[in-house]
Amino acid sequence: LCMVDMECVVQGIIETQHVEALEILLQGLCGVQRERLRIHEICLKSGPHLGTVASEVRLLCDLEQAEPSWTVIHAGGAMRGAGAEQISVLVRSMVESKTSKNALRMFYTLGYKLDHELLRVGFSFNFHRGAQITVTVSSINKMLKLHATDEAMPVTPGIQMVEVTAPATAETYAEVASAVSSFCEYLAPLLHLSKPGISTGVVPAAAASLMSDGGGTTL
């Protein structure tokens, strides 16, 4: 299955001590049960011989499944122009496809290099509220040794990342962006959500580092 479409996304950070309150709020707003999250993410970047424009792909392995399943994702550049500036969410192209565990070897053969890998641990809510919205709350962990998910250490202890994403098309992105913005207003008492790469207010240095390390990423 391969999907070539767009997605709307906003991100924010929250102190771990407030995550329980956020979960209770999300439970009430969404009306669905949370899903446990344990994602091994491998970020690959293309070598120079693959073209002048650097390419980045992410391989995601869902470790919560009895049989780990792999997904490959390529997130394109953000939509630009006057229309994009007026929207409070980031709109970008997205290609997502299920793949086999041999995908890593294939990308290495194509000339891609390992840029970094992460382990995301937390939970997500998937629901419909004007659009199909996913809210992900997770701690970002770095591996001390290659692929050693059992030895992953938090990038920013005490701080977790929040992402709100929704799939869209060229015809529906404005409507989807509006739905995401409206939903985010309900979360405003607990955290501020903004376009990836845009930090507002006072953000601790560690949190700023977290947003830049995992900032371009979506589950």
Side-chain angles (χ1 to χ4, degrees), residues 65-209:
Q65 303 296 323
E67 282 290 320
S69 61
W70 287 85
T71 303
V72 60
I73 290 178
H74 177 268
M79 188 176 73
R80 301 190 181 280
E85 295 297 322
Q86 294 168 5
I87 298 176
S88 61
V89 309
L90 183 77
V91 182
R92 63 187 177 196
S93 60
M94 171 68 64
V95 181
E96 179 178 332
S97 179
K98 294 294 182 185
T99 186
S100 74
K101 61 183 179 183
N102 297 321
L104 183 58
R105 188 181 307 159
M106 182 195 75
F107 280 110
Y108 281 158
T109 303
L110 290 173
Y112 281 79
K113 307 286 187 189
L114 175 68
D115 186 67
H116 64 270
E117 58 178 348
L118 303 168
L119 179 69
R120 296 174 179 269
V121 181
F123 58 88
S124 66
F125 285 91
N126 298 282
F127 56 97
H128 194 279
R129 196 185 184 106
Q132 193 61 42
I133 297 174
T134 299
V135 181
T136 303
V137 183
S138 59
S139 62
I140 311 297
N141 304 273
K142 284 192 173 181
M143 260 65 87
L144 302 179
K145 290 189 288 190
L146 189 66
H147 307 335
T149 54
D150 291 341
E151 300 177 33
M153 299 290 290
V155 175
T156 52
I159 293 175
Q160 298 202 26
M161 189 168 186
V162 182
E163 275 191 328
V164 182
T165 61
T169 66
E171 292 75 33
T172 65
Y173 75 83
E175 179 184 330
V176 172
S178 176
V180 170
S181 295
S182 296
F183 177 77
C184 289
E185 290 176 11
Y186 291 105
L187 307 183
L190 288 176
L191 80 158
H192 176 79
L193 293 155
S194 60
K195 297 180 182 181
I198 300 174
S199 57
T200 56
V202 180
V203 179
S209 166

